[in-house]
Structures are given as C-alpha cells and as structure tokens.
Amino acid sequence: MLQRIFTIVIAFPMALVLIALAVANRHDVRLVLDPFRPDTPALSLVLPFYAYLFGVLALGIIAGGLAVWFGQGHWRHAARVRTQEARRWQAEADRLTRERDADATGGSRQLIANSR
C-alpha cells in the first residue's frame, strides 16, 4: 500500500517533470572534457541536453544504491553469522532429540524385557 502511494504521489509527478525537461531541452550541447584547450578540445561530446540529465540521474541512482549497499554491509554480515548460529543450534537440538528418542525406545525395551 505504501509503495502504491509513493508511486502515485512522487514517482508520477517526477516522471512528468523529467519528460517535460526532455522535451524542452532537445538542443545539442557540447561537453568539453579538455580544460586546457576549450576552443579546440581533444575530447568532447555532443549530445542533446536531456541525455546529460538522464545520464546524471542514472549515475545518481547507481551511486546511491552502492552507498546503501556498502553502508548496510555490517547488517548482512550479522545476518550471515546469526543464520550460521541458528543452523548450528538446530543441528544440536536435532541431535539431542534423536538421542532422547533412542534412549526412550531403548529404555522401554529394557522394561518390557525385565517384566517378562
């Protein structure tokens, strides 16, 4: 439900703004990547301005995702450790249950044999 509200309230208006920016900024822009010779650059890129906008948006999304991923690394590590502990304790509980059942079965057999 919260995701649907987010989509309606935030994502749709942002998409409309981005589309409006893309339509309004269709002219070509030259990106000069040579700061020492800006009039005759060795490396430059000519794209529509909206391509730069979408490229920066994509880079921001990727950088934010990586920051969150690295920031939550200690939680993923703790979850792995806790999962291993839980599996060890479950294996121990299963082993003790098997031993208890084996002792209970063996003990009842002895009682039956002794009563005869």
Side-chain angles (χ1 to χ4, degrees), residues 5-54:
I5 291 171
F6 171 77
T7 302
I8 292 171
V9 172
I10 295 176
F12 282 144
M14 289 208 36
L16 290 175
V17 168
L18 284 174
I19 291 170
L21 283 172
V23 169
N25 294 296
R26 290 179 288 170
H27 58 281
D28 288 341
V29 176
R30 182 180 208 175
L31 175 66
V32 177
L33 299 172
D34 186 1
F36 302 111
R37 293 183 296 163
D39 15 323
T40 57
L43 187 57
S44 68
L45 186 62
V46 177
L47 290 173
F49 187 63
Y50 70 85
Y52 294 118
L53 290 175
F54 287 138

Side-chain angles (χ1 to χ4, degrees), residues 72-88:
Q72 293 177 348
H74 62 282
W75 295 110
R76 288 190 306 278
H77 176 71
R80 280 192 302 273
V81 168
R82 299 295 186 270
T83 300
Q84 290 172 351
E85 283 180 14
R87 287 184 180 149
R88 252 193 327 268

Side-chain angles (χ1 to χ4, degrees), residues 90-104:
Q90 185 63 45
E92 179 71 13
D94 290 343
R95 182 185 64 80
L96 290 172
T97 301
R98 282 192 308 272
E99 286 179 8
R100 184 196 64 202
D101 292 345
D103 288 346

Side-chain angles (χ1 to χ4, degrees), residues 60-76:
I61 290 171
I62 291 169
L66 287 173
V68 168
W69 177 261
F70 288 123
Q72 293 177 348
H74 62 282
W75 295 110
R76 288 190 306 278

